Amino acid sequence: MKKFMITLSLFLFLVILIKGTKIKAEESNTDYQTYVEIVMSSGKLLKNYKKEELDSYISKLNEGFHFFDVLIMPLNENVKSSYITNTLFSVENKGLTPVKYDVSIQVETTNVVSFTSSVSASSGASVAIKKVKAEASSKANIEYSTKTTTSVKEKKSLVLEVEAGSRAIIYLMGDITITNGVFSVHEFFFNVAKGGYEFAVLNNQYTRIEKDVIWQES
């Protein structure tokens, strides 16, 4: 029986301990963009919109006269989505008999709200972006903060049997809520910032096991 210890801690996103080796992801509020896959129940991520699409929405947003306004147009609001981050454990059994592994997994999930934007802006953009965050999060009823608020720990141990000629993969996935749209900020009739914005609310994390056949006996 072979033994492996996998410890995963999410603090602003991931800290992984695998066989005593510590691998720490960068603490960033945009790490969701590095996920292997995000599947939205409807709509699409900001990065999947073409520039021409965003420009068209922004043009509609800017119609009329605007003296001192923060204009927001949501495209997708609080869309339930699922994601896959990375593989925790992968093994192939190329032998002729099944192999069993004792696997211990610890997952700590901390709720985090991430914000990202694509901006065309003037020199006063940083203040404008703060206004966009406040206005857009208020519209979508999102409590935006770079600080963690709640944390849930889960521990489980399992015996993983990998049949002859097969592969087993344990990976981390979960649920995330996506809100995105376009914005335009006006100050004294000047358009000081415009672009797209996106919030990603990490809801939970859990592990999934998949097995597939790499060869079969003839």
Side-chain angles (χ1 to χ4, degrees):
M1 174 117 16
K2 300 181 181 180
K3 294 187 177 181
F4 289 81
M5 169 66 75
I6 303 175
T7 302
L8 181 142
S9 173
L10 180 68
F11 179 67
L12 274 182
F13 278 118
L14 302 174
V15 175
I16 305 174
L17 298 179
I18 302 178
K19 292 195 284 188
T21 301
K22 185 174 182 180
I23 305 173
K24 184 175 181 181
E26 292 183 5
E27 295 182 354
S28 168
N29 66 349
T30 57
D31 276 359
Y32 77 97
Q33 296 184 80
T34 68
Y35 287 173
V36 173
E37 182 179 26
I38 296 179
V39 179
M40 298 174 63
S41 58
S42 63
K44 54 186 176 181
L45 295 170
L46 179 63
K47 67 180 182 180
N48 293 331
Y49 281 94
K50 295 179 181 178
K51 183 179 182 300
E52 293 78 12
E53 290 180 280
L54 296 179
D55 288 345
S56 176
Y57 288 123
I58 292 170
S59 293
K60 292 178 181 179
L61 198 58
N62 281 331
E63 291 177 354
F65 295 96
H66 304 284
F67 176 62
F68 210 98
D69 294 313
V70 179
L71 306 175
I72 301 292
M73 180 190 291
L75 300 177
N76 299 285
E77 198 164 67
N78 295 319
V79 177
K80 293 181 179 180
S81 311
S82 60
Y83 66 89
I84 297 173
T85 61
N86 63 311
T87 300
L88 300 179
F89 178 61
S90 177
V91 64
E92 291 184 355
N93 180 5
K94 297 181 179 179
L96 300 176
T97 57
V99 178
K100 291 183 178 180
Y101 298 84
D102 281 335
V103 182
S104 178
I105 301 173
Q106 177 177 304
V107 178
E108 180 179 350
T109 302
T110 304
N111 290 339
V112 176
V113 180
S114 302
F115 176 85
T116 188
S117 64
S118 59
V119 190
S120 172
S122 66
S123 57
S126 59
V127 174
I129 295 303
K130 288 181 180 180
K131 293 178 181 179
V132 170
K133 287 181 183 179
E135 184 70 18
S137 60
S138 176
K139 278 183 176 290
N141 197 28
I142 296 172
E143 188 174 337
Y144 178 73
S145 173
T146 55
K147 295 182 179 179
T148 57
T149 54
T150 59
S151 182
V152 178
K153 292 183 179 180
E154 177 190 2
K155 293 181 180 180
K156 64 179 179 181
S157 298
L158 56 93
V159 176
L160 177 64
E161 182 171 333
V162 184
E163 292 76 12
S166 66
R167 176 194 299 112
I169 301 173
I170 302 177
Y171 57 88
L172 187 69
M173 62 184 301
D175 299 315
I176 194 169
T177 303
I178 301 294
T179 294
N180 57 33
V182 294
F183 67 87
S184 184
V185 181
H186 296 259
E187 295 180 2
F188 302 107
F189 295 113
F190 291 101
N191 193 187
V192 297
K194 60 182 178 180
Y197 70 88
E198 187 164 77
F199 287 98
V201 182
L202 179 65
N203 299 315
N204 58 38
Q205 301 235 343
Y206 48 90
T207 55
R208 180 171 175 172
I209 300 173
E210 284 191 356
K211 294 182 179 180
D212 56 24
V213 175
I214 55 177
W215 60 264
Q216 291 181 330
E217 292 185 76
S218 57

